[in-house]
Amino acid sequence: MNKNIAIKKSDSHEYFDHHEVKFILGDLQATRQLAELLAQYVRIGDILCLKGELGSGKTAFAKAFINNFFDKREEVLSPSFGLVQIFSAPQFVISHYDLYRVKNPEELEEIGLEEAFTHGVTLIEWPEIIGSRLPEDHVELTFDYMGSDEESRIVSITGYGFWQVLLKEIFN
């Protein structure tokens, strides 16, 4: 694990179908550092599911992750109303979905979500609506508030399929 990162590893668990590791993110900079670290390992077809309450850090993570692939800062907004923002990075296309307003899983076909899974890297805020349509190989990041501390978050990173193995390599 990168020792220069301002993230405190708090726990790691091994399960039959996934691998989970938890971190304490002390501030926004730590969130950026985690995003930059994971960005080093993604490849075409990777899916990052971002879970958590409103304001818990999902979009902050997405902004830092996406900007890691550009020399000049991109304007990354939460795609709440448009549902998706597409970024053409030099390495691949990054699709950033916000499914907060999606109420019916059939709407996912209209916004090209399943197609995005095979054409680049996909970030999904509020992935719960996807259900069984989510491919086996993905990683979930769940952001939680840490008590009364306004800045700190606990993030649980859970890898499934290929990401189960990759998380072990990155964080053990």
Side-chain angles (χ1 to χ4, degrees), residues 46-58:
D46 281 338
I47 302 163
L48 288 80
C49 299
L50 310 177
K51 296 180 171 185
E53 296 178 44
L54 287 170
S56 63
K58 298 179 301 294

Side-chain angles (χ1 to χ4, degrees), residues 127-140:
E128 295 81 359
I129 189 83
I130 297 172
S132 64
R133 293 180 180 194
L134 194 61
E136 178 185 353
D137 294 325
H138 68 280
V139 62
E140 292 179 357

Side-chain angles (χ1 to χ4, degrees), residues 3 29 32 58 67 69 90 102-103 115 154 157 171:
K3 300 296 183 196
Q29 181 59 30
R32 287 186 194 116
K58 298 179 301 294
N67 272 305
F69 296 97
V102 175
K103 302 299 179 217
E115 183 178 324
I154 295 175
I157 307 173
F171 296 114

Side-chain angles (χ1 to χ4, degrees), residues 7-170:
I7 302 167
K8 181 181 174 197
K9 184 176 175 183
S10 62
D11 208 356
S12 183
H13 297 284
E14 199 77 43
Y15 298 98
F16 177 70
D17 65 341
H18 65 280
H19 181 77
E20 179 183 274
V21 63
K22 292 186 180 186
F23 291 94
I24 297 171
L25 305 175
D27 56 19
L28 185 57
Q29 181 59 30
T31 300
R32 287 186 194 116
Q33 289 177 332
L34 179 62
E36 291 167 2
L37 176 64
L38 291 178
Q40 295 175 39
Y41 294 93
V42 295
R43 60 189 173 18
I44 291 175
D46 281 338
I47 302 163
L48 288 80
C49 299
L50 310 177
K51 296 180 171 185
E53 296 178 44
L54 287 170
S56 63
K58 298 179 301 294
T59 302
F61 176 90
K63 287 178 183 182
F65 180 89
I66 292 165
N67 272 305
N68 190 68
F69 296 97
F70 294 93
D71 293 331
K72 181 182 163 202
R73 292 302 226 195
E74 291 290 310
E75 183 175 4
V76 180
L77 305 172
S78 180
S80 296
F81 294 102
L83 301 180
V84 63
Q85 280 187 310
I86 308 293
F87 300 89
S88 295
Q91 302 89 330
F92 39 67
V93 171
I94 302 169
S95 300
H96 179 202
Y97 287 87
D98 185 329
L99 304 181
Y100 182 73
R101 296 182 323 113
V102 175
K103 302 299 179 217
N104 185 338
E106 284 72 42
E107 292 177 56
L108 299 174
E109 292 175 27
E110 296 173 23
I111 60 174
L113 182 63
E114 291 183 20
E115 183 178 324
F117 292 162
T118 60
H119 289 79
V121 172
T122 308
L123 291 159
I124 307 168
E125 295 186 45
W126 305 97
E128 295 81 359
I129 189 83
I130 297 172
S132 64
R133 293 180 180 194
L134 194 61
E136 178 185 353
D137 294 325
H138 68 280
V139 62
E140 292 179 357
L141 291 89
T142 304
F143 295 84
D144 290 308
Y145 290 101
M146 205 171 136
S148 61
D149 185 348
E150 300 273 331
E151 292 287 314
S152 296
R153 303 288 188 266
I154 295 175
V155 63
S156 301
I157 307 173
T158 308
Y160 296 90
F162 172 77
W163 273 94
Q164 179 179 3
V165 175
L166 187 55
L167 287 181
K168 286 184 215 175
E169 290 177 16
I170 297 171

